[in-house]
Amino acid sequence: MAENYLTASALVKQLGGELRGDDVILTRITSLQQAQEHDISFLSNPRLREDAVASRAGVLIVTEKSAAALVGRTLIITDDPYLYFARVARLFHPLQQARSGIHPSAIIAPSAQIADSCEIGANVVIGERCVIGEHTRVLAGTVIEEDCIIGNDCVIHANVTIYHGCQLGNRVELHSGCVIGADGFGFAWDKQKNEWFKIVQTGCVILGDDVDIGANTTIDRGAIENTIVEKDAKIDNQVMIGHNGKIGAHVAIVACTGIAGSTEVGDFSVIGGAAMIGGHLNIPPKTTIGAATAVSHSIKESGYYASIFPLQKHNDWVKNAAHIRHLHEMNQKIKALEHQLAELNGTSSNQQD
Amino acid sequence: MAENYLTASALVKQLGGELRGDDVILTRITSLQQAQEHDISFLSNPRLREDAVASRAGVLIVTEKSAAALVGRTLIITDDPYLYFARVARLFHPLQQARSGIHPSAIIAPSAQIADSCEIGANVVIGERCVIGEHTRVLAGTVIEEDCIIGNDCVIHANVTIYHGCQLGNRVELHSGCVIGADGFGFAWDKQKNEWFKIVQTGCVILGDDVDIGANTTIDRGAIENTIVEKDAKIDNQVMIGHNGKIGAHVAIVACTGIAGSTEVGDFSVIGGAAMIGGHLNIPPKTTIGAATAVSHSIKESGYYASIFPLQKHNDWVKNAAHIRHLHEMNQKIKALEHQLAELNGTSSNQQD
Amino acid sequence: MAENYLTASALVKQLGGELRGDDVILTRITSLQQAQEHDISFLSNPRLREDAVASRAGVLIVTEKSAAALVGRTLIITDDPYLYFARVARLFHPLQQARSGIHPSAIIAPSAQIADSCEIGANVVIGERCVIGEHTRVLAGTVIEEDCIIGNDCVIHANVTIYHGCQLGNRVELHSGCVIGADGFGFAWDKQKNEWFKIVQTGCVILGDDVDIGANTTIDRGAIENTIVEKDAKIDNQVMIGHNGKIGAHVAIVACTGIAGSTEVGDFSVIGGAAMIGGHLNIPPKTTIGAATAVSHSIKESGYYASIFPLQKHNDWVKNAAHIRHLHEMNQKIKALEHQLAELNGTSSNQQD
């Protein structure tokens, strides 16, 4: 799809690393398997070394250590081939620039301030007193309610909804279907009327610079204080962040994860996919939570936590899982056996005396 | 954000409770930590008593029991400070009234009946023969297909989709991105053609009065009969209710929960976040299901059920989880040990005779 | 809702099966419980045999085996009553045909090619160079970005988003709120800058013929290669398919399931609701994964796999779950007991010698 071309030597000039072998004209970055003579590819997972050897790629991005097995090939040597690949890919596929202008079908409230360099797509709706920064793109069908402040160079994809009063930093990317600032889930039970009474949600959502939010993810507004996602946090699709949550800087949260209200996730943490994290908890910085893991209490010490029920054939599961319900009893039986055996050994040793 | 002010004495006059101490002019309701002299806050969680003592709030909503530690402060005494707080918050932040009128960009089918007091937002699409009650707000980008009946005082947020033939009671609130009435997941396997044949989904979705539905939640239409959510049920974000489900009155369902088709959840039940409930099950009234808990069979007796795999450090998990696959075997070994020990004890006692 | 009527004999003429008993005029297909004299219903689950006997349905679709208990009734005998029911339901409720034409509010890029027989709804947005086949329906508020190719007879419901460059086969149905082709979740960690660097996602999404996608489901575009869903795969609501995934033909994936990137699910597999499947895995053809089951490694052999933590009363769970963290220790204790007992038996037998 990319129609520009680059040479290996030009890449090294721009991105660093060491070029080893003949210069090559490159038209595409692709996988080891698909690559042809004018393609560049990379080796970061050592398990793919055989694929690298077999690859027809014109240039391979590799570590010094991997280079030994690839003599006679054109290589770019770097400490971090995956990051280097990411940078090359960005050169072949530059970020789409905002096509400045407001589509005639967009409905912009009179008091909204939209920078001239913004791209506002078809059927976009922007509420009163919103402020939208330079070069930000708001794509078709997105609704931004009143009093939102959105920074520069953001990309808000099609059919996003941002409720009133939310704030986005610079270079924020929101994918389609995500909902920022819907009401948190707060109800007080009225014992006399025997019904729920809604707690008005008066906080907002604040997203820092360089935050990415995936498709159909929801981040609720705070009940009293704000829900906050710090800079460079990356959140995948279908994630749910409850009201008053605080997601630290550089955190990565993989798809389908739910984080209940008022929970804090420390900076640089990584939350695996489909993780389920309770409310009012604290996850310390630099913590990793494995995929599909339920967290129901705060974690005191950074580290790698995981907990899933191991996969089994259904028949084995039926046989084994039943015992989970009797683990306490099983443990009591072991204790009783230990006790009896200790007594018996006492007797035995008496007999041997 | 609230620009109105209230006095403590006026609150008590309107909402009940007992005012103790000097009257105070109040401009805001906020947390114990943030509150200043013209703010009102509340103490409902006894673990926050220290925060209440330290709070600079002008007025504290507390129980008689908590009042003892707060002498010299202006207090409002009530049995249920959390509910009282909810009511005060509503006074400071009144529900937004419908700004009656239809935005010129909205597309309303000729046969739809929209009450004059309704607010219909930009780019809303409403199908043939829909009926929408008094003071209902339908916000930007929402699509309501033909033959829907929607009550009074509803709020349907931006970018909601309601499929044809669905019915909403009064005071229903639907948050952005939710989808009401998409087809249930029903396919018959055609053994001869070796392919799926879709079961047409001919039921609808019926939502009772005072139902709340969270952002990006989906409630499928029934296959033959209807999918029903009874009055005052509160459903959080990213919840999935399968076809023909029946959610009882006053039920609360926390985010990310999935409830498969034809399952009934009894009145007053509470379903924790990320719970996974199978199809064709029955959950009795006043049942609590813990967060992240899988329910694969009907529950006979009301109560509090939970079941999550306990969180562990990853290394411990690796060590412990492997044994899950051998619990049956482990149990057999214990039985064998008990048997051997019983025999040995028999032998031993014989020897002692 | 259906206003057409059919006779039992006409049904058999069109769909096969054997009519037994008097012919009946039929106006509706419904459940055994609801059915009246001019209704047709079916018995496929043997546990409902009593309901069939009690049913007032004018005609019952049953197997030869079930017919014995229903003498004197009008029956249609078939091998597969559920599939037969599905076909009859389709006759009573024919697929809605495309009302050809483009709604005046739709915004179609000049270079898009829309077949004359298409139905394009209100506020639909279609990008440059899109091609949309015959009789395809695109409902209100849907956004299709540039360079998409969409086959014949598709139904794309309201408020769907399809990112640029995606391809749909014929008879594909996409339910509201689903997002096809958002960026996969790919970031390289930049150790020097201490921040994430986004991996540009250059692949697309390809959906085969007869694919169904549920409401609010997300299927991410590939990083380098494409994300592929093969023909006749049926995907329920709120499912997440990560980048570069490959979902085989005729696969069924029930709601709330997440499948991380680069995972392949073989043809004819069935994935239960709320299943959690890791990345870079392989699920062989004809495999069944139970609901709420986590899969963290590839499966080598087809079969039925399941693994959920069994439901317990909360108090029992507290008592039992604690032991999960000590299973390894528990197992060591059993081994020690076995060892001691073996020694003791050795001693005993020595004594008996």
Side-chain angles (χ1 to χ4, degrees):
Chain A
M1 247 170 271
E3 284 162 15
N4 42 354
Y5 72 90
L6 294 161
T7 60
S9 55
L11 284 179
V12 168
K13 206 165 172 186
Q14 185 167 354
L15 300 177
E18 179 200 336
L19 178 63
R20 205 169 285 176
D22 299 334
D23 201 3
V24 178
I25 288 174
L26 297 167
T27 57
R28 198 173 62 151
I29 184 159
T30 187
S31 64
L32 291 168
Q33 292 77 15
Q34 291 195 330
Q36 302 297 325
E37 65 177 313
H38 289 292
D39 295 341
I40 181 168
S41 192
F42 71 105
L43 172 63
S44 73
N45 182 345
R47 276 183 287 177
L48 299 179
R49 200 160 296 177
E50 292 303 303
D51 293 316
V53 171
S55 176
R56 304 180 59 185
V59 179
L60 290 166
I61 308 166
V62 299
T63 59
E64 183 63 64
K65 200 173 157 194
S66 298
L70 297 159
V71 282
R73 306 288 295 264
T74 296
L75 305 175
I76 293 176
I77 312 292
T78 170
D79 280 351
D80 191 341
Y82 189 57
L83 179 62
Y84 202 100
F85 148 71
R87 294 196 187 281
V88 174
R90 182 47 79 205
L91 291 179
F92 276 103
H93 302 274
L95 271 179
Q96 188 167 334
Q97 297 305 303
R99 303 167 214 166
S100 58
I102 297 177
H103 193 279
S105 64
I107 293 158
I108 315 288
S111 61
Q113 299 172 45
I114 317 279
D116 287 346
S117 57
C118 283
E119 171 182 347
I120 307 294
N123 290 336
V124 166
V125 178
I126 298 180
E128 298 289 354
R129 296 171 301 281
C130 285
V131 178
I132 301 193
E134 298 289 344
H135 305 289
T136 282
R137 305 176 66 209
V138 182
L139 304 189
T142 282
V143 175
I144 302 176
E145 294 187 351
E146 59 273 24
D147 298 304
C148 291
I149 298 174
I150 292 175
N152 303 324
D153 301 302
C154 294
V155 183
I156 303 180
H157 287 269
N159 284 332
V160 164
T161 308
I162 307 178
Y163 279 57
H164 63 92
C166 294
Q167 296 177 25
L168 280 63
N170 300 315
R171 297 173 303 280
V172 170
E173 183 161 12
L174 304 185
H175 277 284
S176 292
C178 77
V179 177
I180 308 299
D183 283 350
F185 195 65
F187 300 91
W189 182 249
D190 185 331
K191 276 171 289 204
Q192 282 173 336
K193 296 190 177 170
N194 242 2
E195 64 185 24
W196 295 107
F197 188 92
K198 177 167 175 163
I199 315 278
V200 61
Q201 305 289 305
T202 63
C204 302
V205 175
I206 315 280
L207 306 180
D209 290 345
D210 299 296
V211 164
D212 268 57
I213 305 290
N216 284 349
T217 281
T218 55
I219 303 184
D220 277 354
R221 66 195 309 109
I224 292 181
E225 304 180 19
N226 296 318
T227 304
I228 294 170
V229 180
E230 305 271 14
K231 69 173 177 184
D232 197 38
K234 305 298 185 186
I235 300 181
D236 199 353
N237 294 359
Q238 300 202 31
V239 170
M240 161 64 185
I241 310 283
H243 53 179
N244 308 316
K246 191 169 167 226
I247 307 302
H250 313 290
V251 165
I253 302 178
V254 183
C256 302
T257 286
I259 302 183
S262 301
T263 284
E264 290 195 26
V265 177
D267 297 349
F268 301 103
S269 289
V270 175
I271 313 293
M276 301 162 272
I277 301 185
H280 297 274
L281 304 184
N282 188 73
I283 311 286
K286 301 191 180 178
T287 298
T288 299
I289 303 293
T293 290
V295 181
S296 57
H297 56 81
S298 286
I299 292 177
K300 297 230 165 60
E301 195 190 338
S302 291
Y304 177 11
Y305 294 81
S307 256
I308 62 168
F309 198 91
L311 187 69
Q312 297 162 79
K313 287 220 155 188
H314 181 261
N315 288 343
D316 294 334
W317 171 73
V318 169
K319 226 165 51 184
N320 289 313
H323 297 292
I324 300 271
R325 290 204 187 91
H326 304 290
L327 275 180
H328 184 67
E329 200 185 316
M330 209 185 273
N331 196 50
Q332 300 290 75
K333 283 182 182 169
I334 293 172
K335 276 188 189 162
L337 284 165
E338 287 175 328
H339 189 72
Q340 287 175 51
L341 206 52
E343 281 204 337
L344 205 59
N345 275 326
T347 314
S348 295
S349 54
N350 281 342
Q351 290 182 333
Q352 290 173 341
D353 284 346
Chain B
M1 250 169 268
E3 282 162 17
N4 43 353
Y5 71 91
L6 295 160
T7 61
S9 56
L11 284 178
V12 169
K13 208 164 171 185
Q14 185 167 354
L15 302 176
E18 180 200 336
L19 179 64
R20 204 169 286 174
D22 300 333
D23 201 2
V24 179
I25 289 174
L26 296 167
T27 57
R28 197 173 63 151
I29 184 159
T30 187
S31 64
L32 291 168
Q33 293 76 14
Q34 291 195 330
Q36 301 297 325
E37 67 176 313
H38 289 292
D39 295 342
I40 181 167
S41 192
F42 72 104
L43 172 63
S44 73
N45 182 345
R47 276 184 285 176
L48 299 179
R49 201 161 294 177
E50 292 302 303
D51 292 316
V53 171
S55 176
R56 304 180 58 185
V59 179
L60 290 166
I61 308 166
V62 298
T63 59
E64 184 63 64
K65 198 173 159 196
S66 299
L70 296 160
V71 281
R73 305 288 294 264
T74 296
L75 305 175
I76 294 177
I77 312 292
T78 170
D79 281 350
D80 190 341
Y82 189 57
L83 178 62
Y84 202 100
F85 147 72
R87 294 194 186 283
V88 175
R90 183 48 78 205
L91 290 178
F92 276 103
H93 302 272
L95 271 179
Q96 189 167 334
Q97 297 304 303
R99 302 166 214 164
S100 58
I102 295 176
H103 193 280
S105 63
I107 293 158
I108 315 287
S111 60
Q113 298 173 44
I114 318 280
D116 287 345
S117 58
C118 283
E119 172 183 347
I120 307 294
N123 291 336
V124 166
V125 178
I126 297 181
E128 297 289 354
R129 298 170 300 281
C130 285
V131 178
I132 303 194
E134 298 289 344
H135 305 291
T136 282
R137 306 176 65 211
V138 182
L139 304 188
T142 282
V143 175
I144 302 176
E145 294 187 350
E146 59 272 23
D147 297 303
C148 291
I149 299 175
I150 293 176
N152 303 324
D153 301 303
C154 295
V155 183
I156 303 180
H157 288 271
N159 284 332
V160 164
T161 307
I162 307 178
Y163 280 57
H164 62 94
C166 294
Q167 296 178 24
L168 280 64
N170 300 315
R171 298 172 304 281
V172 170
E173 184 161 11
L174 304 185
H175 278 283
S176 292
C178 76
V179 177
I180 307 300
D183 283 351
F185 194 64
F187 299 90
W189 183 249
D190 185 331
K191 275 172 290 205
Q192 282 173 334
K193 295 192 177 172
N194 240 1
E195 66 185 25
W196 295 107
F197 188 92
K198 177 166 174 163
I199 314 278
V200 62
Q201 304 289 305
T202 63
C204 301
V205 174
I206 315 280
L207 306 180
D209 290 344
D210 299 296
V211 164
D212 267 57
I213 305 290
N216 284 349
T217 281
T218 55
I219 303 184
D220 278 354
R221 66 194 312 108
I224 290 180
E225 303 181 19
N226 296 318
T227 304
I228 294 170
V229 180
E230 304 272 15
K231 70 173 178 183
D232 198 38
K234 305 299 185 185
I235 300 181
D236 199 354
N237 295 359
Q238 300 200 30
V239 170
M240 160 64 185
I241 310 283
H243 52 178
N244 308 318
K246 190 167 167 228
I247 307 301
H250 313 291
V251 166
I253 302 177
V254 184
C256 302
T257 287
I259 301 183
S262 301
T263 284
E264 289 196 26
V265 177
D267 296 350
F268 301 105
S269 288
V270 175
I271 312 292
M276 301 161 272
I277 301 185
H280 296 273
L281 305 183
N282 187 72
I283 312 286
K286 301 193 180 177
T287 298
T288 300
I289 303 293
T293 291
V295 181
S296 55
H297 55 83
S298 285
I299 292 177
K300 298 229 164 61
E301 194 190 339
S302 291
Y304 177 11
Y305 294 81
S307 255
I308 61 168
F309 198 90
L311 187 69
Q312 297 162 79
K313 286 221 155 189
H314 180 261
N315 288 342
D316 293 334
W317 171 72
V318 169
K319 227 164 53 184
N320 289 313
H323 298 292
I324 300 270
R325 291 204 187 91
H326 304 288
L327 274 180
H328 185 67
E329 199 184 318
M330 209 186 273
N331 196 51
Q332 299 291 77
K333 283 181 183 171
I334 293 172
K335 276 190 191 162
L337 284 165
E338 287 175 328
H339 188 73
Q340 287 175 50
L341 207 52
E343 280 205 337
L344 207 58
N345 275 325
T347 313
S348 296
S349 55
N350 282 343
Q351 293 180 331
Q352 290 173 343
D353 281 349
Chain C
M1 250 169 270
E3 282 162 19
N4 42 352
Y5 71 91
L6 295 160
T7 60
S9 55
L11 283 178
V12 169
K13 206 165 172 185
Q14 184 166 354
L15 301 177
E18 178 200 338
L19 179 63
R20 203 169 287 174
D22 299 334
D23 201 3
V24 179
I25 289 175
L26 296 167
T27 58
R28 198 173 62 151
I29 182 158
T30 187
S31 64
L32 292 168
Q33 293 77 15
Q34 292 195 330
Q36 302 297 324
E37 64 177 313
H38 290 291
D39 295 340
I40 180 167
S41 192
F42 72 104
L43 172 63
S44 71
N45 182 346
R47 277 184 286 177
L48 300 179
R49 200 161 296 178
E50 293 302 303
D51 293 316
V53 171
S55 176
R56 303 180 60 187
V59 178
L60 290 166
I61 308 164
V62 298
T63 58
E64 184 63 64
K65 199 174 159 196
S66 299
L70 296 159
V71 281
R73 305 288 295 265
T74 296
L75 305 176
I76 293 176
I77 312 293
T78 170
D79 280 351
D80 191 341
Y82 189 57
L83 178 63
Y84 202 101
F85 147 71
R87 295 195 186 282
V88 174
R90 181 49 77 204
L91 291 179
F92 276 104
H93 302 273
L95 271 179
Q96 188 166 334
Q97 296 305 305
R99 303 168 213 164
S100 59
I102 297 176
H103 193 280
S105 63
I107 292 157
I108 314 287
S111 60
Q113 298 172 44
I114 318 279
D116 287 346
S117 58
C118 283
E119 172 182 347
I120 308 293
N123 290 335
V124 166
V125 178
I126 297 180
E128 297 289 354
R129 296 171 301 280
C130 285
V131 178
I132 302 194
E134 299 289 344
H135 305 290
T136 282
R137 305 176 66 210
V138 182
L139 304 189
T142 282
V143 175
I144 302 176
E145 294 187 349
E146 60 273 23
D147 298 302
C148 291
I149 298 175
I150 293 176
N152 303 324
D153 301 303
C154 294
V155 184
I156 303 180
H157 287 271
N159 284 331
V160 164
T161 308
I162 307 178
Y163 279 58
H164 62 93
C166 294
Q167 295 177 23
L168 280 64
N170 299 315
R171 298 173 304 280
V172 170
E173 183 161 11
L174 304 186
H175 277 284
S176 293
C178 77
V179 177
I180 307 301
D183 283 350
F185 194 64
F187 300 91
W189 182 249
D190 185 331
K191 276 172 288 203
Q192 282 173 335
K193 294 192 177 171
N194 242 1
E195 65 185 24
W196 295 107
F197 187 92
K198 178 167 174 163
I199 315 278
V200 61
Q201 305 288 306
T202 63
C204 301
V205 175
I206 315 279
L207 306 180
D209 289 345
D210 298 297
V211 164
D212 267 58
I213 306 288
N216 284 348
T217 281
T218 55
I219 303 184
D220 278 354
R221 65 194 311 107
I224 291 181
E225 304 180 18
N226 296 317
T227 304
I228 294 170
V229 180
E230 305 272 15
K231 69 172 177 183
D232 197 39
K234 305 299 185 185
I235 301 181
D236 199 353
N237 294 359
Q238 300 201 30
V239 170
M240 161 65 185
I241 310 284
H243 52 179
N244 308 317
K246 189 167 169 228
I247 307 302
H250 313 290
V251 165
I253 303 178
V254 183
C256 301
T257 287
I259 301 183
S262 301
T263 285
E264 290 194 27
V265 177
D267 296 350
F268 301 105
S269 289
V270 175
I271 313 291
M276 301 162 272
I277 301 185
H280 296 273
L281 305 184
N282 188 73
I283 312 286
K286 301 192 181 177
T287 298
T288 299
I289 304 292
T293 291
V295 180
S296 56
H297 56 82
S298 286
I299 292 177
K300 297 227 166 61
E301 195 189 340
S302 290
Y304 177 11
Y305 294 81
S307 255
I308 63 168
F309 198 89
L311 188 70
Q312 297 162 80
K313 287 221 153 188
H314 180 260
N315 288 343
D316 294 334
W317 171 73
V318 168
K319 228 166 50 184
N320 289 314
H323 297 293
I324 299 271
R325 290 205 187 90
H326 304 288
L327 274 181
H328 184 69
E329 200 183 317
M330 209 186 271
N331 196 51
Q332 299 291 75
K333 283 181 183 171
I334 292 172
K335 276 189 189 162
L337 285 164
E338 287 175 328
H339 188 74
Q340 288 175 50
L341 206 52
E343 281 206 336
L344 206 58
N345 273 326
T347 313
S348 294
S349 55
N350 282 343
Q351 292 179 332
Q352 289 173 344
D353 283 347

